[in-house]
């Protein structure tokens, strides 16, 4: 990642001087990850595409303000997360469910504080051919709070370190760890409920 | 809610957040349950990563971004540069153009007449004729007299 960071800085510098090709190279390098992050957060392809484009445009407008203290991608992910969370908050206006309320409920669910020792039993390579499973994973993501979804995506999909996630989300590393723990636990519980339905039948989606 | 300290270490191991020496030490102390926990974490990671990778395959944002980017700065600079060059050229033309010398063909002669200085001016006109003007400068006065 270090060589990439140096290379990013060079591209940022060239893009700052108006070289469109340099900015294009940055877009091509990060578009999949930025889009995946936006899709994971908003769970709508069109909205994710618009928000990912918006994030790059905003980054382009602000290139002169980018100090290079953090890496280009953590800066870009911060822009993306902020745009997506703003978008979700606007969309949720009127539903009465506040951001923090949901986060607190998830973290105070009274469940055990230990990691699950039971894998779900999926073969990830085979599972990804299963559209229904992918939809279920997306649905489970959607049931998490934005804060939990964001840490999970930044760690599992984008591969950011705790320190980088703390920069992106503007919180302490301890908070990141705690959120990550709860987010993973919730995801495992939801997927397990789908794989191992309670007596009386499988969940609706799984039964199809 | 506080997580189990052993689990905290396992999570840090899974996330590659432990110092190499600490990770090595923990790896030697893993129980079967710990290994299952790590396997479950890895399974979730693979599922999430794979799902979003499949969903974002082939995404091309550049076309949409390119349309909305401001025109390149080099093009915007073109007009003021050309304007400045034209102004400089115009200024040079004004400063360096040859200044024509006075074109009068008037012939002037000075004569000394008793007690006076006379100046004879022979001024040609457009028709090829000429007009002669004699100015007398009397010594007693500074006045000029036209004859």
């Amino acid at each position: 990642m270090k060589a990439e960071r140096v290379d990013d800085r060079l591209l940022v510098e060239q893009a700052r001087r108006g070289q469109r090709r340099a900015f294009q190279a940055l877009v091509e390098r990060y578009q999949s990850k930025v889009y995946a992050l936006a899709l994971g957060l908003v769970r709508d392809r069109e909205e994710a595409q618009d928000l990912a484009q918006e994030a790059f445009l905003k980054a382009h407008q602000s290139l002169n303000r980018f100090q290079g203290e953090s890496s280009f991608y953590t800066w870009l992910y911060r822009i993306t997360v902020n745009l997506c969370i703003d978008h979700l908050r606007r969309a949720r206006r009127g539903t009465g469910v506040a951001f923090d309320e949901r986060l607190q409920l998830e973290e105070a669910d009274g469940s055990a504080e230990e990691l699950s020792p039971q894998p779900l039993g999926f073969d990830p390579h085979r599972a990804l051919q299963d559209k229904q499973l992918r939809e279920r994973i997306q649905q489970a993501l959607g049931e998490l709070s934005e804060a939990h979804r964001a840490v999970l995506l930044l760690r599992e999909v984008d591969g950011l370190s705790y320190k980088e996630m703390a920069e992106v989300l503007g919180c302490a590393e301890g908070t990141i760890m705690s959120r990550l723990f709860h987010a993973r636990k919730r995801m495992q519980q939801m997927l397990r409920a789908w794989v191992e339905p309670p007596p009386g039948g499988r969940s609706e989606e799984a039964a199809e | 809610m506080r997580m189990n300290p052993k689990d905290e270490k396992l999570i840090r191991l899974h996330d590659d957040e432990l110092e190499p020496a600490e990770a090595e030490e923990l790896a030697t102390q893993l129980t079967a349950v710990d290994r299952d926990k790590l396997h479950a974490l890895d399974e979730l990671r693979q599922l999430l990563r794979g799902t979003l990778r499949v969903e974002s395959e082939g995404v091309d944002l550049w076309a949409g971004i390119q349309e909305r980017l401001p025109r390149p700065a080099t093009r915007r600079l073109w007009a003021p540069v050309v304007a400045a060059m034209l102004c400089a050229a115009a200024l040079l033309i004004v400063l360096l153009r040859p200044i024509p010398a006075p074109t009068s063909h008037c012939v002037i002669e000075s004569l000394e007449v008793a007690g006076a200085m006379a100046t004879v001016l022979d001024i040609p006109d457009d028709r090829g004729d000429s007009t002669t003007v004699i100015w007398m400068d009397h010594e007693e006065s500074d006045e000029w007299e036209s004859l």
Side-chain angles (χ1 to χ4, degrees):
Chain A
M1 194 72 102
K2 268 186 184 170
E4 206 167 86
R5 282 175 67 162
V6 173
D7 196 19
D8 280 356
R9 279 187 195 161
L10 186 66
L11 289 171
V12 167
E13 199 45 53
Q14 289 170 342
R16 231 181 230 165
R17 291 201 297 265
Q19 290 183 25
R20 214 172 246 238
R21 276 176 190 274
F23 192 67
Q24 183 178 359
L26 287 168
V27 171
E28 285 168 355
R29 181 172 292 173
Y30 291 111
Q31 61 184 358
S32 297
K33 288 192 167 185
V34 167
Y35 173 76
L37 179 60
L39 181 63
L41 284 167
V42 301
R43 292 171 301 113
D44 179 284
R45 286 165 192 274
E46 277 186 32
E47 285 175 10
Q49 180 145 348
D50 287 348
L51 288 160
Q53 285 184 346
E54 199 59 46
F56 278 109
L57 285 165
K58 208 166 177 185
H60 186 269
Q61 280 168 10
S62 314
L63 277 177
N64 286 331
R65 286 203 296 269
F66 173 63
Q67 300 295 317
E69 286 158 5
S70 60
S71 56
F72 173 74
Y73 62 85
T74 55
W75 182 66
L76 180 63
Y77 293 161
R78 184 163 59 219
I79 294 173
T80 310
V81 169
N82 288 342
L83 279 173
C84 290
I85 288 179
D86 282 352
H87 173 83
L88 290 167
R89 281 178 178 162
R90 276 199 305 274
R92 206 177 39 230
R93 226 172 253 163
T95 63
V97 183
F99 176 80
D100 289 330
E101 252 176 56
R102 218 166 144 198
L103 178 66
Q104 282 164 10
L105 282 172
E106 282 175 17
E107 294 197 357
D109 61 1
S111 57
E113 298 147 33
E114 291 200 5
L115 280 174
S116 166
Q118 286 178 294
L120 297 164
F122 289 115
D123 168 3
H125 299 293
R126 195 195 60 78
L128 295 173
Q129 309 297 319
D130 184 346
K131 193 167 179 251
Q132 201 183 4
L133 172 63
R134 293 202 309 269
E135 282 171 2
R136 183 64 197 128
I137 290 169
Q138 292 264 36
Q139 198 183 332
L141 265 177
E143 286 173 33
L144 296 179
S145 66
E146 285 90 348
H148 282 168
R149 223 181 298 162
V151 285
L152 202 56
L153 293 166
L154 288 170
R155 176 59 233 172
E156 309 294 38
V157 180
D158 296 310
L160 265 60
S161 67
Y162 293 171
K163 186 169 180 276
E164 288 172 326
M165 286 195 281
E167 276 176 33
V168 170
L169 298 171
C171 55
E173 282 184 46
T175 309
I176 293 293
M177 252 200 105
S178 165
R179 286 184 185 174
L180 200 48
F181 172 79
H182 290 103
R184 281 169 166 157
K185 207 162 154 39
R186 278 282 290 152
M187 277 300 283
Q188 285 174 329
Q189 284 170 350
M190 284 188 279
L191 292 175
R192 189 170 309 286
W194 185 69
V195 176
E196 300 166 7
R202 218 180 189 198
S203 66
E204 239 178 70
E205 306 87 36
E208 280 170 11
Chain B
M1 189 188 273
R2 173 117 184 96
M3 72 180 94
N4 178 321
K6 180 77 182 283
D7 280 359
E8 188 178 327
K9 277 204 165 186
L10 287 176
I11 291 170
R12 292 175 75 89
L13 177 71
H14 172 69
D15 289 333
D16 207 16
E17 292 279 343
L18 288 180
E19 291 298 322
E22 206 178 353
E24 217 168 285
E25 191 192 335
L26 182 62
T28 61
Q29 300 166 356
L30 291 177
T31 64
V33 173
D34 293 338
R35 287 182 201 282
D36 282 344
K37 286 180 177 178
L38 286 172
H39 180 56
L41 287 173
D42 191 54
E43 182 186 47
L44 181 63
R45 173 170 294 169
Q46 297 305 324
L47 287 174
L48 279 167
R49 195 170 283 183
T51 297
L52 286 161
R53 191 172 294 156
V54 168
E55 301 294 331
S56 59
E57 250 169 29
V59 68
D60 179 16
L61 301 178
W62 177 245
I65 291 169
Q66 196 179 16
E67 283 171 14
R68 294 167 63 191
L69 280 180
R71 292 173 73 85
T74 47
R75 281 192 200 166
R76 277 187 290 149
L77 281 174
W78 184 83
V81 166
V82 168
M85 285 170 72
L86 285 175
C87 285
L91 191 65
L92 277 175
I93 289 168
V94 169
L95 291 175
L96 300 179
R97 83 191 152 97
I99 299 167
T103 53
S104 171
H105 300 293
C106 176
V107 178
I108 302 169
E109 282 181 35
S110 290
L111 297 169
E112 270 192 38
V113 187
M117 175 65 79
T119 302
V120 180
L121 299 101
D122 193 10
I123 305 166
D125 62 16
D126 293 340
R127 294 189 301 268
D129 297 326
S130 64
T131 306
T132 301
V133 178
I134 301 172
W135 286 93
M136 295 294 290
D137 185 17
H138 295 282
E139 281 181 356
E140 302 80 57
S141 76
D142 290 332
E143 287 174 18
W144 282 76
E145 185 182 335
S146 177
L147 295 176

